[in-house]
Amino acid sequence: MIYEKYIRVLYIDMTENKIRIENRADLCEYLGGVGVATKLLEENIKPELDPLHEDQPIIFAIGAASTVFPVVTKTVAMFRSPLTGELGESYAGGRMAMTLFLAGYDAVVILGKAKRPSYITISRNDVGFKDARALWGATSDEVGRIIREREPGGGKRSIIRIGPGGENMSSFASVCVDTYRHFGRLGLGAVFGSKNLKAISIVGDRSVPIKNFKDYFKVYQEIYNRVTDTEIMSKYHDVGTPINIEPLNAVGGLPTKNLRQNVFEHGESISGEAFAQKNLVRKMACTGCPVGCIHIGQLRREFDKGHEYEVISVGYDYELIFALGSFLGVKTPNDILDLIDVVEQMGLDAMSTGVVLGWATEAFMKKLITEEQTIVPLAFGNVASYKKAIEYMAYKENDFYSVLAQGADKASDVYGGKEFAMTLAKNEMAGYHTGYAAVVGAAVGARHSHLCNGGYSLDQSMKEFNKEKIVDTLFAEEKERCMLNSLVICLFARKVYDRKTILAALNSIGNNLTDEELTAIGERIYRAKLRIKKALGFDQMSVKLPKRFFETPSMSGQLDEKIAYELIGMYNKKIEEFMAAENR
Amino acid sequence: MPKVLRADGMNKCIGCFTCMLACSGVNRQNYSLSKSAIRVKTSGGLQGKFISIVCLACRDERACAEACPSGALEKRPGGGVIFKAQRCIGCRKCETACIVSAVHYDEEENKPIICKHCGVCAKFCPHECLRMEEVDNDL
Ligand code: SF4
Ligand code: SF4
Ligand code: SF4
């Protein structure tokens, strides 16, 4: 809690409809955000129970500088992932961090299971358990609209909710935050579903007096000016993250058609510029972010014969264009927006959805699965089939789609095709076939996301291939991001938030830390994550990499499987030493 | 020449709320959305447009000031009003008098929150939705 020497944790028991608040001084050594959430996860997780058991916790946390500095906008969610069975960690922006801050909670722990479909309301002086029976089955948009009208706090409120995918506990169901942001990865939506939890509405209407206004505001202005002056503004605001589609395609790093190709022949027609010219209608921001990277595209869709049209607004960015575009051979912005909308309404993670469908398409082509199972014929570029298939996954339409809804790794266990199930330690790959650091980075990353340690970015900046350098950089970056995510900044602004800036910001709000302490915090958090992974039975050395990564050339040329495993081994040795060093 | 705030670029608004956080921060020294004199909100959920509710800087006649029984709202040169807190009795008449609902209310302090046309929000708006305009002195 800002200006206080404790972390204020709200515990919600959905079985008993009871709450409890604890002011935990001991959590301060984890700073906030992912640090606090990791510690709370470690305390509450049940390694012996299934990820979707009602006794498993959902943790949310905001950080030590949330909302009070520019672009410090994210909330972290932690849970046991139903997709990987191990560490679940996901970030979302929107208004959620602001509302938690102004409701007066640093972290929320949700346990138990409601007897019937429910939603929770959180405000500074109350927590409500509400009937959501009529909302069960509603799409993400519908439930947002209904709660918006029923609950108070407009403008100072955040509504997070699941769609049918979460209700039916698809292993990669997402949680939608304020319409355009998501806890996308690793299946938090399914954990909501397992608790009969449809939505949470949070109202933040406190006012917190600012101490040492002059010091604080000086630092605030410096950061604001750097954020708005530097190139991150143009990069993320102008065309937005899809600006990367064209250059990555040009250098052969854009995973295409289930990574059968590293270049998409229609790359140009799905480029950031193409979206901007044809579909972009507005941009939006998370609360407290002057950048505004959220790009909204408009799609006019015929819903009935006789020129009956609807206009829908869909958020898009790089990862979605990769997953539902190039990876599935879908070649126009309109078709991609159409697919994004279905994913959105069903409440699934767009990246996993695309990569899972990529596997299914190839498995169908190779006759590992039949049309009796898939119901519709799957083929790269067949948008009509994909739209149906996405709904079938969310509703677990038949046995096949029930398996598919558990991810590409599980599906390939059952139906074969492991060598082209494009997952890394069971999490579907991200949109970068850039080289060893991308593959190895996600394989060793604590949550197996490209954002654990930014391997894809290291591939692009590394001048010369060097094994030690890859391993050392990934390791250092993983620890650094543990620290950054305890604040919780949006990683788009990571260049602005260098160590000096972070220290100035924290000091100006009375958190007097040193550079060494920041390092120690990052390490403490990483160690806690590794402890959790171990307790959940994760073994780094048993991770199998799909052959396809080594068949289709990457941006850095053909990759050698042996080298990738060697790098994983080197990394594993490093973390073993890292863990042993603590006990010494 | 006096200046007044004009919120006429709201079509470009990205909903970052920086203006509100800056107004509350600088003028009220609070981290808050509730203490801001400008309110940004959506009309119809996040798929709707952003609109702002802030003093329009009425000239000649100011309904809020006319409604104030204790003379706490003085005409501000160029438009709008100057709030004299020590004269305010917290009757909330100004709040209802302003037909654009630009008089917000601070429940903690029991005082109205009215824009003083200082320009801080415009300075921190990253997308030129807000600007300051030089106007003649109408007094
Ligand atoms: S507060 Fe309302 S009535 Fe008073 S000057 Fe501003 S717009 Fe006019
Ligand atoms: S002009 Fe000043 S008082 Fe008025 S809304 Fe902007 S920051 Fe607040
Ligand atoms: S600062 Fe500008 S862009 Fe941000 S909410 Fe206010 S008016 Fe909109």
Coordinates of all heavy atoms in Angstrom, one line a residue, chain A residues 298-372:
Chain A
Q298 N -12.5 -1.7 -37.4 CA -13.9 -1.8 -37.6 C -14.2 -2.8 -38.7 O -13.5 -2.8 -39.7 CB -14.6 -0.5 -37.9 CG -16.0 -0.4 -37.5 CD -16.6 1.0 -37.6 OE1 -16.6 1.5 -38.7 NE2 -17.0 1.5 -36.5
L299 N -15.2 -3.6 -38.5 CA -15.5 -4.6 -39.5 C -17.0 -4.5 -39.8 O -17.9 -4.5 -38.9 CB -15.2 -6.0 -39.0 CG -15.7 -7.2 -39.8 CD1 -14.9 -7.3 -41.1 CD2 -15.4 -8.5 -39.0
R300 N -17.4 -4.4 -41.1 CA -18.8 -4.5 -41.4 C -19.1 -5.9 -41.9 O -18.5 -6.4 -42.8 CB -19.1 -3.5 -42.6 CG -20.6 -3.3 -42.8 CD -20.8 -2.2 -43.8 NE -20.6 -2.8 -45.2 CZ -21.4 -2.5 -46.2 NH1 -22.4 -1.7 -46.1 NH2 -21.2 -3.0 -47.4
R301 N -20.1 -6.5 -41.2 CA -20.3 -7.9 -41.4 C -21.8 -8.1 -41.8 O -22.7 -7.6 -41.1 CB -20.0 -8.6 -40.1 CG -20.2 -10.1 -40.2 CD -19.3 -10.8 -39.1 NE -19.8 -10.6 -37.8 CZ -19.2 -11.0 -36.7 NH1 -18.0 -11.6 -36.8 NH2 -19.7 -10.7 -35.5
E302 N -22.0 -8.9 -42.8 CA -23.4 -9.2 -43.2 C -23.9 -10.4 -42.3 O -23.3 -11.4 -42.3 CB -23.4 -9.7 -44.7 CG -24.8 -9.8 -45.2 CD -24.8 -10.0 -46.7 OE1 -23.7 -10.3 -47.3 OE2 -25.8 -9.9 -47.3
F303 N -24.9 -10.1 -41.6 CA -25.4 -11.2 -40.7 C -26.6 -11.9 -41.3 O -27.1 -12.9 -40.8 CB -25.6 -10.7 -39.3 CG -26.6 -9.7 -39.1 CD1 -28.0 -10.0 -38.9 CD2 -26.3 -8.3 -39.0 CE1 -28.9 -9.1 -38.7 CE2 -27.2 -7.4 -38.8 CZ -28.6 -7.7 -38.6
D304 N -27.2 -11.3 -42.4 CA -28.3 -11.9 -43.0 C -28.4 -11.5 -44.4 O -27.8 -10.5 -44.8 CB -29.6 -11.5 -42.3 CG -30.7 -12.5 -42.3 OD1 -30.5 -13.5 -43.0 OD2 -31.7 -12.4 -41.5
K305 N -29.1 -12.3 -45.2 CA -29.2 -12.0 -46.6 C -30.1 -10.7 -46.8 O -30.8 -10.4 -45.8 CB -29.9 -13.1 -47.4 CG -29.1 -14.4 -47.2 CD -29.0 -15.2 -48.6 CE -27.8 -16.1 -48.5 NZ -27.7 -16.9 -47.2
G306 N -30.0 -10.1 -47.9 CA -30.8 -8.9 -48.1 C -30.1 -7.6 -47.5 O -30.7 -6.7 -46.9
H307 N -28.8 -7.6 -47.6 CA -28.0 -6.5 -47.1 C -28.3 -6.1 -45.7 O -28.6 -4.9 -45.3 CB -28.2 -5.3 -48.0 CG -27.8 -5.5 -49.4 ND1 -28.7 -5.9 -50.4 CD2 -26.6 -5.6 -50.0 CE1 -28.0 -6.1 -51.5 NE2 -26.7 -5.9 -51.3
E308 N -28.3 -7.1 -44.8 CA -28.4 -6.8 -43.4 C -27.0 -6.8 -42.8 O -26.3 -7.8 -42.7 CB -29.3 -7.9 -42.7 CG -30.7 -7.9 -43.1 CD -31.5 -6.7 -42.8 OE1 -31.1 -6.0 -41.9 OE2 -32.5 -6.4 -43.5
Y309 N -26.6 -5.7 -42.3 CA -25.2 -5.5 -41.8 C -25.1 -5.2 -40.4 O -26.0 -4.5 -39.9 CB -24.4 -4.5 -42.6 CG -24.2 -4.9 -44.1 CD1 -25.0 -4.3 -45.1 CD2 -23.2 -5.8 -44.4 CE1 -24.7 -4.7 -46.4 CE2 -23.0 -6.2 -45.7 CZ -23.8 -5.6 -46.7 OH -23.5 -5.9 -48.0
E310 N -24.1 -5.6 -39.8 CA -23.7 -5.1 -38.4 C -22.3 -4.5 -38.5 O -21.5 -5.0 -39.3 CB -23.8 -6.2 -37.4 CG -22.9 -7.3 -37.6 CD -23.0 -8.4 -36.6 OE1 -23.5 -8.2 -35.5 OE2 -22.6 -9.5 -36.9
V311 N -22.0 -3.6 -37.6 CA -20.7 -3.0 -37.6 C -20.1 -3.4 -36.2 O -20.7 -3.1 -35.2 CB -20.7 -1.5 -37.8 CG1 -19.3 -0.9 -37.5 CG2 -21.2 -1.1 -39.2
I312 N -19.0 -4.0 -36.3 CA -18.4 -4.4 -35.0 C -17.0 -3.8 -34.8 O -16.3 -3.6 -35.8 CB -18.3 -5.9 -34.8 CG1 -17.6 -6.6 -36.0 CG2 -19.6 -6.5 -34.6 CD1 -17.3 -8.0 -35.7
S313 N -16.6 -3.5 -33.6 CA -15.3 -2.9 -33.3 C -14.5 -3.9 -32.6 O -14.9 -4.4 -31.6 CB -15.5 -1.7 -32.4 OG -16.3 -0.7 -33.1
V314 N -13.3 -4.2 -33.1 CA -12.5 -5.3 -32.6 C -11.1 -4.8 -32.4 O -10.5 -4.1 -33.2 CB -12.4 -6.4 -33.7 CG1 -11.8 -7.6 -33.1 CG2 -13.8 -6.8 -34.2
G315 N -10.6 -5.1 -31.2 CA -9.2 -4.7 -30.9 C -8.2 -5.7 -31.6 O -8.5 -6.9 -31.6
Y316 N -7.1 -5.2 -32.2 CA -6.2 -6.1 -32.8 C -4.8 -5.7 -32.4 O -4.5 -4.5 -32.1 CB -6.4 -6.1 -34.3 CG -6.0 -4.7 -35.0 CD1 -4.7 -4.4 -35.4 CD2 -7.0 -3.8 -35.2 CE1 -4.4 -3.2 -36.1 CE2 -6.7 -2.6 -35.8 CZ -5.4 -2.3 -36.3 OH -5.2 -1.1 -36.9
D317 N -3.9 -6.6 -32.4 CA -2.4 -6.3 -32.3 C -1.6 -7.4 -33.0 O -2.1 -8.3 -33.6 CB -2.0 -6.0 -30.9 CG -2.1 -7.1 -30.0 OD1 -1.9 -8.3 -30.4 OD2 -2.3 -6.9 -28.8
Y318 N -0.3 -7.2 -32.9 CA 0.6 -8.1 -33.6 C 0.3 -9.6 -33.3 O 0.2 -10.4 -34.3 CB 2.1 -7.8 -33.2 CG 3.0 -8.8 -33.8 CD1 3.5 -8.6 -35.1 CD2 3.5 -10.0 -33.1 CE1 4.3 -9.6 -35.7 CE2 4.3 -10.9 -33.7 CZ 4.7 -10.7 -35.0 OH 5.5 -11.6 -35.6
E319 N 0.2 -10.0 -32.1 CA 0.1 -11.4 -31.8 C -1.2 -12.0 -32.3 O -1.2 -13.2 -32.7 CB 0.1 -11.6 -30.2 CG 1.5 -11.3 -29.6 CD 2.6 -12.2 -30.1 OE1 2.4 -13.2 -30.7 OE2 3.8 -11.8 -29.8
L320 N -2.2 -11.2 -32.4 CA -3.5 -11.7 -32.9 C -3.4 -11.9 -34.4 O -4.0 -12.8 -35.0 CB -4.7 -10.8 -32.5 CG -5.2 -11.0 -31.1 CD1 -4.2 -10.5 -30.1 CD2 -6.5 -10.3 -30.9
I321 N -2.8 -10.9 -35.1 CA -2.6 -11.0 -36.5 C -1.8 -12.3 -36.9 O -2.0 -13.0 -37.9 CB -2.0 -9.7 -37.1 CG1 -2.9 -8.5 -36.8 CG2 -1.8 -9.9 -38.6 CD1 -2.4 -7.2 -37.2
F322 N -0.8 -12.5 -36.1 CA 0.0 -13.7 -36.3 C -0.8 -15.0 -36.1 O -1.0 -15.8 -37.0 CB 1.2 -13.7 -35.4 CG 1.5 -15.1 -34.7 CD1 2.0 -16.1 -35.4 CD2 1.2 -15.3 -33.4 CE1 2.2 -17.4 -34.8 CE2 1.4 -16.5 -32.8 CZ 1.9 -17.6 -33.5
A323 N -1.5 -15.1 -34.9 CA -2.1 -16.3 -34.5 C -3.3 -16.6 -35.4 O -3.5 -17.8 -35.8 CB -2.5 -16.3 -33.1
L324 N -4.1 -15.6 -35.7 CA -5.4 -15.9 -36.4 C -5.2 -15.5 -37.9 O -6.1 -15.6 -38.7 CB -6.5 -15.1 -35.8 CG -6.8 -15.6 -34.3 CD1 -7.8 -14.6 -33.6 CD2 -7.3 -17.0 -34.3
G325 N -4.0 -15.0 -38.3 CA -3.8 -14.6 -39.6 C -2.7 -15.5 -40.3 O -3.1 -16.6 -40.7
S326 N -1.5 -15.1 -40.2 CA -0.4 -15.9 -40.9 C -0.4 -17.3 -40.5 O -0.3 -18.2 -41.3 CB 0.9 -15.2 -40.7 OG 1.4 -15.4 -39.4
F327 N -0.6 -17.6 -39.2 CA -0.5 -19.0 -38.7 C -1.5 -19.9 -39.3 O -1.4 -21.1 -39.4 CB -0.5 -19.0 -37.2 CG 0.2 -20.2 -36.6 CD1 1.6 -20.3 -36.5 CD2 -0.5 -21.3 -36.1 CE1 2.2 -21.4 -36.0 CE2 0.1 -22.4 -35.6 CZ 1.5 -22.5 -35.6
L328 N -2.7 -19.3 -39.7 CA -3.8 -20.0 -40.3 C -4.0 -19.7 -41.7 O -5.0 -20.1 -42.3 CB -5.1 -19.7 -39.5 CG -5.1 -20.2 -38.0 CD1 -6.4 -19.8 -37.3 CD2 -4.9 -21.7 -37.9
G329 N -3.0 -19.0 -42.3 CA -3.1 -18.7 -43.8 C -4.3 -17.8 -44.1 O -4.8 -17.8 -45.2
V330 N -4.7 -17.0 -43.1 CA -5.8 -16.1 -43.4 C -5.3 -14.8 -43.9 O -4.4 -14.2 -43.2 CB -6.7 -15.9 -42.1 CG1 -7.7 -14.8 -42.3 CG2 -7.3 -17.2 -41.7
K331 N -5.7 -14.3 -45.0 CA -5.0 -13.3 -45.7 C -5.6 -11.9 -45.8 O -5.1 -11.0 -46.5 CB -4.6 -13.8 -47.1 CG -5.7 -14.3 -47.9 CD -5.1 -14.8 -49.3 CE -6.2 -15.1 -50.2 NZ -6.8 -16.4 -50.1
T332 N -6.7 -11.6 -45.2 CA -7.2 -10.2 -45.2 C -7.5 -9.7 -43.8 O -7.9 -10.5 -42.9 CB -8.5 -10.1 -46.0 OG1 -9.6 -10.7 -45.3 CG2 -8.4 -10.7 -47.4
P333 N -7.3 -8.4 -43.6 CA -7.7 -7.8 -42.3 C -9.1 -8.1 -41.9 O -9.4 -8.4 -40.8 CB -7.4 -6.3 -42.5 CG -6.3 -6.2 -43.5 CD -6.6 -7.4 -44.5
N334 N -10.0 -8.0 -42.8 CA -11.4 -8.3 -42.5 C -11.6 -9.7 -41.9 O -12.3 -9.9 -40.9 CB -12.4 -8.1 -43.7 CG -12.7 -6.7 -44.0 OD1 -12.4 -5.8 -43.2 ND2 -13.3 -6.4 -45.1
D335 N -11.0 -10.7 -42.6 CA -11.2 -12.0 -42.1 C -10.5 -12.2 -40.7 O -11.0 -12.9 -39.9 CB -10.5 -13.0 -43.1 CG -11.4 -13.3 -44.3 OD1 -12.7 -13.0 -44.2 OD2 -10.9 -13.7 -45.4
I336 N -9.4 -11.6 -40.5 CA -8.7 -11.7 -39.2 C -9.6 -11.0 -38.1 O -9.8 -11.6 -37.1 CB -7.3 -11.1 -39.3 CG1 -6.4 -11.9 -40.2 CG2 -6.7 -11.0 -37.9 CD1 -5.1 -11.2 -40.5
L337 N -10.1 -9.9 -38.4 CA -11.0 -9.2 -37.4 C -12.2 -10.1 -37.1 O -12.7 -10.2 -36.0 CB -11.4 -7.8 -37.9 CG -10.3 -6.8 -38.0 CD1 -10.9 -5.5 -38.6 CD2 -9.7 -6.5 -36.6
D338 N -12.7 -10.7 -38.2 CA -13.9 -11.6 -38.0 C -13.5 -12.7 -37.0 O -14.3 -13.0 -36.1 CB -14.2 -12.2 -39.4 CG -15.7 -12.5 -39.5 OD1 -16.4 -12.3 -38.5 OD2 -16.1 -13.1 -40.5
L339 N -12.4 -13.3 -37.2 CA -12.0 -14.4 -36.3 C -11.7 -13.9 -34.9 O -12.0 -14.5 -33.9 CB -10.7 -15.1 -36.8 CG -10.9 -16.0 -38.1 CD1 -9.6 -16.6 -38.5 CD2 -11.9 -17.1 -37.8
I340 N -11.0 -12.7 -34.8 CA -10.7 -12.2 -33.5 C -12.0 -12.0 -32.7 O -12.2 -12.3 -31.5 CB -10.0 -10.8 -33.6 CG1 -8.6 -11.0 -34.2 CG2 -9.9 -10.1 -32.2 CD1 -7.9 -9.6 -34.4
D341 N -13.1 -11.5 -33.4 CA -14.3 -11.2 -32.7 C -14.9 -12.5 -32.2 O -15.5 -12.5 -31.1 CB -15.3 -10.6 -33.7 CG -16.6 -10.2 -33.0 OD1 -16.5 -9.5 -31.9 OD2 -17.7 -10.6 -33.4
V342 N -14.9 -13.6 -32.9 CA -15.4 -14.9 -32.4 C -14.6 -15.3 -31.2 O -15.2 -15.7 -30.2 CB -15.4 -16.0 -33.5 CG1 -16.0 -17.3 -33.0 CG2 -16.1 -15.5 -34.8
V343 N -13.3 -15.3 -31.3 CA -12.5 -15.6 -30.1 C -12.9 -14.8 -28.9 O -13.0 -15.3 -27.8 CB -11.0 -15.4 -30.5 CG1 -10.1 -15.5 -29.3 CG2 -10.5 -16.4 -31.6
E344 N -13.0 -13.5 -29.2 CA -13.4 -12.6 -28.1 C -14.7 -12.9 -27.5 O -14.9 -13.0 -26.3 CB -13.5 -11.2 -28.8 CG -13.7 -10.0 -27.9 CD -12.4 -9.8 -27.1 OE1 -11.3 -9.5 -27.7 OE2 -12.5 -9.8 -25.9
Q345 N -15.7 -13.2 -28.3 CA -17.1 -13.5 -27.8 C -17.0 -14.8 -27.0 O -17.7 -15.0 -26.0 CB -18.1 -13.5 -28.9 CG -18.3 -12.2 -29.6 CD -18.4 -11.0 -28.6 OE1 -19.0 -11.1 -27.5 NE2 -17.8 -9.9 -28.9
M346 N -16.2 -15.8 -27.5 CA -16.2 -17.1 -26.8 C -15.3 -17.0 -25.6 O -15.4 -17.9 -24.7 CB -15.6 -18.2 -27.8 CG -16.6 -18.5 -28.9 SD -18.2 -19.2 -28.3 CE -19.2 -17.8 -28.7
G347 N -14.4 -16.0 -25.5 CA -13.6 -15.9 -24.3 C -12.5 -16.9 -24.3 O -12.2 -17.6 -23.3
L348 N -11.7 -17.0 -25.4 CA -10.6 -17.8 -25.5 C -9.3 -17.0 -25.7 O -9.4 -15.8 -26.0 CB -10.7 -18.8 -26.6 CG -11.8 -19.8 -26.6 CD1 -11.9 -20.6 -27.9 CD2 -11.7 -20.7 -25.4
D349 N -8.1 -17.6 -25.4 CA -6.9 -16.9 -25.7 C -6.6 -16.9 -27.2 O -6.6 -18.0 -27.8 CB -5.7 -17.6 -24.9 CG -4.4 -17.0 -25.3 OD1 -4.3 -15.7 -25.4 OD2 -3.4 -17.7 -25.5
A350 N -6.5 -15.8 -27.8 CA -6.3 -15.7 -29.3 C -5.1 -16.5 -29.7 O -5.1 -17.2 -30.8 CB -6.3 -14.3 -29.7
M351 N -4.0 -16.4 -29.0 CA -2.7 -17.0 -29.4 C -2.9 -18.5 -29.4 O -2.5 -19.2 -30.4 CB -1.6 -16.5 -28.6 CG -1.2 -15.0 -28.9 SD -0.2 -14.3 -27.6 CE 1.4 -15.1 -28.0
S352 N -3.3 -19.0 -28.3 CA -3.5 -20.5 -28.2 C -4.5 -21.0 -29.2 O -4.3 -22.0 -29.9 CB -3.9 -20.9 -26.8 OG -2.8 -20.9 -25.9
T353 N -5.6 -20.2 -29.4 CA -6.6 -20.7 -30.4 C -6.0 -20.8 -31.7 O -6.2 -21.9 -32.4 CB -7.8 -19.6 -30.4 OG1 -8.3 -19.5 -29.1 CG2 -8.8 -20.0 -31.4
G354 N -5.3 -19.8 -32.2 CA -4.7 -19.9 -33.5 C -3.7 -21.1 -33.7 O -3.8 -21.8 -34.6
V355 N -2.9 -21.2 -32.7 CA -1.8 -22.3 -32.8 C -2.5 -23.7 -32.7 O -2.1 -24.6 -33.4 CB -0.8 -22.0 -31.7 CG1 0.2 -23.2 -31.7 CG2 0.0 -20.7 -32.0
V356 N -3.5 -23.8 -31.8 CA -4.2 -25.1 -31.7 C -4.9 -25.4 -33.1 O -4.8 -26.5 -33.6 CB -5.3 -25.0 -30.6 CG1 -6.3 -26.1 -30.7 CG2 -4.6 -25.0 -29.2
L357 N -5.5 -24.4 -33.7 CA -6.2 -24.6 -35.0 C -5.2 -24.9 -36.1 O -5.4 -25.7 -37.0 CB -7.1 -23.4 -35.4 CG -8.3 -23.3 -34.5 CD1 -9.1 -22.0 -35.0 CD2 -9.3 -24.5 -34.7
G358 N -4.0 -24.4 -35.9 CA -2.9 -24.7 -36.9 C -2.6 -26.2 -36.8 O -2.5 -26.9 -37.9
W359 N -2.4 -26.7 -35.6 CA -2.2 -28.1 -35.5 C -3.3 -28.9 -36.1 O -3.1 -29.9 -36.8 CB -2.0 -28.5 -34.0 CG -1.9 -30.0 -33.8 CD1 -0.8 -30.8 -33.9 CD2 -3.1 -30.8 -33.5 NE1 -1.2 -32.1 -33.8 CE2 -2.5 -32.2 -33.5 CE3 -4.4 -30.6 -33.3 CZ2 -3.4 -33.3 -33.3 CZ3 -5.2 -31.7 -33.1 CH2 -4.7 -33.0 -33.1
A360 N -4.6 -28.5 -35.7 CA -5.7 -29.3 -36.2 C -5.8 -29.3 -37.7 O -6.2 -30.3 -38.3 CB -7.0 -28.7 -35.5
T361 N -5.5 -28.2 -38.3 CA -5.6 -28.1 -39.8 C -4.6 -29.1 -40.4 O -4.9 -29.8 -41.3 CB -5.2 -26.7 -40.2 OG1 -6.1 -25.8 -39.5 CG2 -5.4 -26.5 -41.7
E362 N -3.4 -29.1 -39.9 CA -2.4 -30.0 -40.4 C -2.7 -31.4 -40.1 O -2.6 -32.3 -41.0 CB -1.0 -29.6 -39.9 CG 0.1 -30.4 -40.6 CD 1.5 -29.8 -40.5 OE1 1.6 -28.6 -40.1 OE2 2.5 -30.5 -40.8
A363 N -3.2 -31.7 -38.9 CA -3.6 -33.1 -38.6 C -4.7 -33.5 -39.5 O -4.8 -34.7 -39.9 CB -4.0 -33.1 -37.1
F364 N -5.6 -32.6 -39.8 CA -6.7 -33.0 -40.7 C -6.2 -33.3 -42.1 O -6.6 -34.2 -42.8 CB -7.7 -31.8 -40.7 CG -8.9 -32.0 -41.5 CD1 -10.0 -32.8 -41.1 CD2 -9.1 -31.5 -42.8 CE1 -11.1 -33.1 -41.8 CE2 -10.3 -31.7 -43.6 CZ -11.3 -32.5 -43.0
M365 N -5.3 -32.4 -42.6 CA -4.6 -32.6 -43.9 C -3.9 -34.0 -43.9 O -4.0 -34.7 -44.9 CB -3.6 -31.5 -44.2 CG -4.2 -30.2 -44.6 SD -2.9 -28.9 -44.4 CE -1.6 -29.4 -45.5
K366 N -3.3 -34.4 -42.8 CA -2.6 -35.6 -42.8 C -3.4 -36.8 -42.4 O -2.9 -37.9 -42.1 CB -1.4 -35.4 -41.8 CG -0.4 -34.4 -42.3 CD 0.9 -34.5 -41.5 CE 2.0 -33.8 -42.4 NZ 2.9 -32.9 -41.6
K367 N -4.7 -36.5 -42.3 CA -5.7 -37.6 -42.0 C -5.5 -38.3 -40.6 O -5.8 -39.4 -40.4 CB -5.7 -38.7 -43.1 CG -6.0 -38.1 -44.4 CD -6.5 -39.1 -45.4 CE -7.2 -38.6 -46.7 NZ -6.6 -37.4 -47.3
L368 N -4.9 -37.5 -39.6 CA -4.8 -38.0 -38.3 C -6.2 -37.9 -37.6 O -6.5 -38.6 -36.7 CB -3.8 -37.3 -37.5 CG -2.4 -37.3 -37.9 CD1 -1.5 -36.4 -37.0 CD2 -1.8 -38.7 -37.9
I369 N -7.0 -36.9 -38.1 CA -8.3 -36.7 -37.6 C -9.3 -36.6 -38.9 O -8.8 -36.3 -39.9 CB -8.5 -35.4 -36.8 CG1 -7.8 -34.2 -37.5 CG2 -7.8 -35.7 -35.4 CD1 -7.9 -32.9 -36.7
T370 N -10.5 -36.9 -38.6 CA -11.5 -37.0 -39.8 C -12.5 -35.9 -39.7 O -12.6 -35.2 -38.6 CB -12.3 -38.3 -39.7 OG1 -13.1 -38.3 -38.5 CG2 -11.3 -39.5 -39.7
E371 N -13.2 -35.7 -40.8 CA -14.3 -34.6 -40.8 C -15.4 -35.0 -39.8 O -16.1 -34.1 -39.3 CB -14.8 -34.4 -42.2 CG -15.6 -33.1 -42.2 CD -15.8 -32.5 -43.6 OE1 -15.0 -32.8 -44.5 OE2 -16.9 -31.8 -43.8
E372 N -15.6 -36.3 -39.5 CA -16.6 -36.6 -38.5 C -16.2 -36.0 -37.2 O -17.1 -35.5 -36.5 CB -16.6 -38.2 -38.4 CG -17.9 -38.7 -38.0 CD -17.8 -40.3 -37.9 OE1 -17.3 -40.9 -38.9 OE2 -18.2 -40.8 -36.9

